[in-house]
Amino acid sequence: MQNSTDFDVIIMGGGPSGATLAALLRKNSALKVAIVEREKFPREHIGESMAHPVIPILEESGALPKVLASDYWVKKYGGIYDWDKKGPSVAYFDHVNWQEDGVHRWAVHLNRSEFDQTLLEHAKSLGTEVIESSEVKRFENLAEHAVVELDDGRRLSCRVFVDASGRSNNIITGQRRKFLSNYKNMAVWNHYTNFIPAQQLAGEWNIFREKDQSPIACFAFEHGWAWYIPVPKIVDGKRVSAVSIGIVTDPTLIKERGINLRDPQVFMEQLRGITDLAPLIGAVVPISDEMNVTSNYSMINDQFCNLDERWIGIGDAAYFVDPLFSSGVTFAGGMAATASLMIRETLLNDGLSAAQRQELWFDYDQQWHLVAASFALSIDQWYYAIAKNNQDSVFWKERSSGTSDLGIRELSFNALVDTAITPDLLEILTSGSQKMADLDQGGGYMQTLRRLGAAEPDDDALVQAPAD
């Protein structure tokens, strides 16, 4: 490590958001950047399926060629979402444009431990100082700079501090994150070999089967929903084809019904009861006898950055949403790209006034809050649609009423309408019609639109001062 403890930017966390930010900063500037990571990579992590907007972000950071040169990924073309009695809904990435030009946009399924290590090593190759197995214990903003204190007593100074540490840390504000959704779930998963890919499911609806194109597959059932993601793994030193299978459910419901999903046999019994999933898993063999378990609460910080206090939150450290649409790493990369530009303009552009710097940071905070809120509403809309088709299920019944308190009144109505549901989401949520009118009217997104619409003044409304 260099003798100087002074950096322009110190990033807490070496996952995709932190490593991508560091790579972008180093690739586009001479800023001195350090990453402090509490674990030693490689390490296991959930989130093995990507959404396609992450690809240009990886390309911009310079990491994409290194990822594609590896053998830990599978090309992903879209998704199968089996959530009503009409049959599965399917969509290619950027489905509307594919219908016009026939060009497939794609993302990847991948082994996260190796992917994350690739990104961290790429950031290091560009000149980032990487400190692993070391934890940030304290953050302090001083008059001229900020200081972070590590668990070994070292104190490192910086001009900007970035929290990219994931969901569990609140070292900057000291406050607990708020729930972004009323739905508080848990995820249980494992990896298996000897599986049948989802693109081989029978049915005329399966647009992926003819050309053997890999999708993510999600299956709603009585107690929640299951994911099915092909993931190349290393077992006994050899690369093998495997599949990640997980269940997202309500921990309270599982406890009340005495369903112990930590038991591998009970877990498989639940999966084999899902009609469209069962044909794919008849002969699967678990890679490990230990089930993986994590909380799956969608949460958000009140504030994503503060120029005066010299800190920024990115990725899950800012907000985390339900993993249904594989959005986590894409959001993390998007925040990293935005934060990179903001940091470079703040530290290197002498032409910006103090007011312009404040506006830049204000826009980062407001716009990413908008993305988080609107995407959470889209997830709630999806849950409501499933609940309509599972009215006897306690899990889904709990998700058929009420909407999240997302502070929508403070957001722009037009911005919500324009950005909340992407064409890909609309394709799935409308079972392929791509029409807003075909969304379930009782869902969280549509309820919010009606509430906001009612608050909009008529075109001919007059504004007048109240009488004295």
Side-chain angles (χ1 to χ4, degrees), residues 74-80 91-93 98 102-106 109 197-201 206-217 230:
V74 174
K75 187 175 286 189
K76 173 185 175 184
Y77 288 87
I80 297 172
Y92 287 124
F93 286 129
W98 167 79
V103 176
H104 287 289
R105 287 72 172 169
W106 53 273
H109 313 287
Q199 62 264 34
Q200 294 185 23
L201 281 168
N206 193 346
I207 60 178
F208 304 100
R209 186 175 60 249
E210 182 179 354
K211 295 182 180 179
D212 194 30
Q213 298 164 316
S214 178
I216 188 175

Side-chain angles (χ1 to χ4, degrees), residues 340-390:
S340 171
L341 176 61
M342 183 170 73
I343 291 170
R344 285 184 281 119
E345 288 296 305
T346 300
L347 300 184
L348 301 176
N349 187 352
D350 294 333
L352 282 185
S353 67
Q356 288 173 325
R357 288 188 174 90
Q358 289 287 355
E359 289 175 2
L360 186 64
W361 286 56
F362 177 83
D363 286 346
Y364 175 90
D365 184 83
Q366 291 296 300
Q367 292 303 311
W368 278 109
H369 268 90
L370 173 63
V371 170
S374 57
F375 200 82
L377 282 172
S378 300
I379 297 293
D380 287 358
Q381 180 77 25
W382 189 87
Y383 274 160
Y384 179 85
I386 300 177
K388 286 181 57 180
N389 295 281
N390 294 271

Side-chain angles (χ1 to χ4, degrees), residues 12-13 17 45 163-170 177 314-318:
M12 178 173 63
S17 60
H45 203 282
D163 185 353
S165 62
R167 289 183 285 163
S168 60
N169 211 317
N170 59 353
R177 296 177 175 88
I314 64 175
D316 288 354

Side-chain angles (χ1 to χ4, degrees), residues 2-27:
Q2 64 191 50
N3 294 327
S4 173
T5 57
D6 293 325
F7 296 92
D8 293 304
V9 183
I10 293 178
I11 302 168
M12 178 173 63
S17 60
T20 299
L21 172 59
L24 289 168
L25 288 172
R26 290 297 305 164
K27 185 169 178 280

Side-chain angles (χ1 to χ4, degrees), residues 384-426:
Y384 179 85
I386 300 177
K388 286 181 57 180
N389 295 281
N390 294 271
Q391 296 183 9
D392 295 331
S393 165
V394 175
F395 178 87
W396 294 114
K397 189 174 183 179
E398 289 294 320
R399 284 147 181 79
S400 65
S401 61
T403 59
S404 304
D405 180 9
L406 302 173
I408 289 296
R409 291 183 183 86
E410 300 176 6
L411 302 176
S412 162
F413 173 76
N414 290 332
L416 175 62
V417 173
D418 291 343
T419 65
I421 294 187
T422 67
D424 294 338
L425 281 175
L426 192 61

